[in-house]
Amino acid sequence: MRNNQAMSVRPHRIAVLALDQVVGLDLGTPAQVFSTAWGADDTSRYDVRVCTPGGLPVRSTAGFQVLPDHGLELLETADTVIVPGIHAGTALTDGSIQPEVTEALRSAYDRGARVMSICTGAFVLAAAGLLDGRRATTHWAYAQRFRRLHSRVDLDPAVLFIVDDRVLTSAGVAAGIDLCLHVIRLDHGSEAANRVARRCVMPPWRDGGQAQYIEQPVPKVTDTSTANTREWVRQRLHEPIALRDLAEHARMSVRTFTRRFRSETGLSPAQWLLQQRTDHARLLLETTDLTVDQIAHRCGFNTTAALRQQLHQRIGVSPTTYRRTFHLRPPHSPRDLALSVVDLPVTPSSPGQEVQDRRESGVGAERV
């Protein structure tokens, strides 16, 4: 993320701002995910606290009240501010919020804090003026209302999350977990994020550009699922893999496999494979001393240049810069995170781009 401050020895302070009718799961997500990111001495790298305007109780959508320990003053010292989703209030009806909430959010951002939203929390950030002129996302079901209230925001309701400098927004419910894991990955590397994902019993990575809603978000592993084939591929990333190989392993026609694969993952086979190769390359850069050329070939890229291009496109840095930042870093050592990272959605923008994706991912030339 651009212009991140160096991580200090003290835990990174996160303020979760709960407003009335806060979504229960969204409220609990930051504490559950970030508090599980432990350092070498088994202490959390993050200090997560909840606040409300005036430190007063607020109602949740889950039938309980939130009794906070802090008021808006918590935002004055927070390194990251997170606004969970809400299901009622003026932010959703007329695009306004309390002046003191606007002031607290803008002051936090102006002094350098990272600001995030989960689901309809984007309405709060937009009401505070923090999303004007930016790309942002929210739950797809609220997209029409959001556009009506906030025409100056470049809304993309088709993705899981968006990172725009120090302002991060995510789609509904589980996408908030994806965004929190992504932030841990930015702060501490893929290995740390993967450990948190294992503790939370969830997939370690869903790309921010993945579709929000797909036909089968959590597919069952059956004879008609592509899950077993995806696992088979993960064990063979170093090998050239053609689309027909995937279809044959799944015992489907190419056409049926492609359609079912996209319905289960939200991506084409070529896009998904390219993502897997890039993520594995990041892990090898962090945990091994292999050369960039060796890593490129172990991850199935046709050339070292293809790996460099994909890493730069996805996280904005070269393999050398990425390794210098994340390789075998002591958990509590200060480091500079001044990386230029922009999440680019993985979307098939044109037939030509699909062909390029297949070339770089190593998927064969059959039409996807």
Side-chain angles (χ1 to χ4, degrees):
M1 187 174 298
R2 296 188 187 96
N3 300 323
N4 266 2
Q5 299 298 318
M7 299 294 291
S8 66
V9 175
R10 65 164 175 79
H12 184 93
R13 294 171 294 205
I14 296 179
V16 180
L17 174 57
L19 301 180
D20 197 42
Q21 289 297 312
V22 63
V23 178
L25 181 58
D26 294 356
L27 176 64
T29 290
Q32 180 64 46
V33 177
F34 286 108
S35 296
T36 312
W38 300 330
D41 58 353
D42 291 335
T43 59
S44 180
R45 290 176 165 133
Y46 298 89
D47 178 13
V48 184
R49 304 186 185 190
V50 176
C51 67
T52 64
L56 299 174
V58 296
R59 294 167 296 174
S60 79
T61 61
F64 60 82
Q65 283 194 332
V66 179
L67 303 176
D69 292 330
H70 306 277
L72 293 176
E73 69 278 357
L74 188 66
L75 274 62
E76 297 174 2
T77 57
D79 301 304
T80 294
V81 177
I82 302 177
V83 182
I86 52 174
H87 279 180
T90 58
L92 293 179
T93 57
D94 62 21
S96 68
I97 56 175
Q98 299 164 277
E100 57 268 31
V101 174
T102 295
E103 182 179 356
L105 286 170
R106 293 190 67 88
S107 295
Y109 176 78
D110 288 344
R111 65 170 175 77
R114 177 168 55 195
V115 180
M116 300 167 50
S117 67
I118 299 175
C119 193
T120 50
F123 281 79
V124 178
L125 297 189
L130 293 176
L131 300 184
D132 288 353
R134 296 184 182 276
R135 290 186 64 237
T137 192
T138 189
H139 194 292
W140 61 267
Y142 287 83
Q144 185 175 357
R145 182 186 305 189
F146 189 96
R147 287 195 175 103
R148 185 175 68 252
L149 295 174
H150 304 289
S151 59
R152 289 179 292 183
V153 181
D154 181 12
L155 183 71
D156 185 352
V159 298
L160 294 180
F161 59 83
I162 288 175
V163 178
D164 190 329
D165 196 22
R166 287 185 291 113
V167 179
L168 302 81
T169 53
S170 66
V173 195
I177 303 176
D178 293 309
L179 180 56
C180 290
L181 278 176
H182 182 69
V183 168
I184 294 173
R185 186 173 292 106
L186 291 177
D187 290 348
H188 298 286
S190 297
E191 190 174 4
N194 290 347
R195 285 198 300 268
V196 171
R198 285 195 295 272
R199 292 182 185 122
C200 294
V201 195
M202 61 173 294
W205 175 253
R206 288 197 299 170
D207 188 86
Q210 182 169 322
Q212 271 195 39
Y213 54 101
I214 50 183
E215 292 179 25
Q216 195 174 358
V218 186
K220 294 180 180 179
V221 180
T222 66
D223 290 341
T224 60
S225 170
T226 64
N228 288 333
T229 297
R230 295 198 301 274
E231 184 57 33
W232 177 78
V233 170
R234 289 190 184 99
Q235 306 304 317
R236 294 165 175 79
L237 293 177
H238 59 286
E239 300 176 3
I241 301 175
L243 179 57
R244 64 175 177 274
D245 297 330
L246 304 179
E248 288 175 1
H249 182 271
R251 298 182 180 179
M252 301 177 192
S253 69
V254 169
R255 182 175 180 180
T256 298
F257 176 82
T258 301
R259 183 179 67 252
R260 191 156 294 155
F261 192 98
R262 188 183 290 275
S263 76
E264 292 180 359
T265 68
L267 300 171
S268 72
Q271 293 165 341
W272 179 86
L273 181 54
L274 186 56
Q275 175 180 298
Q276 299 301 309
R277 294 193 192 284
T278 305
D279 291 344
H280 188 52
R282 291 168 67 175
L283 184 62
L284 293 179
L285 286 168
E286 293 178 26
T287 59
T288 74
D289 293 316
L290 295 172
T291 66
V292 173
D293 184 65
Q294 289 173 322
I295 289 175
H297 286 89
R298 288 199 181 196
C299 295
F301 287 98
N302 291 330
T303 64
T304 303
L307 169 59
R308 289 196 180 97
Q309 178 180 348
Q310 282 306 308
L311 202 62
H312 195 277
Q313 177 180 339
R314 289 175 183 272
I315 60 174
V317 297
S318 68
T320 301
T321 300
Y322 187 85
R323 167 169 275 168
R324 186 168 59 244
T325 304
F326 291 118
H327 183 245
L328 299 178
R329 179 179 51 79
H332 288 286
S333 297
R335 64 179 174 84
D336 186 5
L337 276 175
L339 303 179
S340 175
V341 176
V342 177
D343 277 23
L344 298 179
V346 183
T347 54
S349 56
S350 67
Q353 183 62 50
E354 283 281 319
V355 172
Q356 182 69 13
D357 286 341
R358 287 196 293 274
R359 286 200 195 102
E360 293 172 350
S361 67
V363 172
E366 299 94 332
R367 181 179 178 184
V368 178

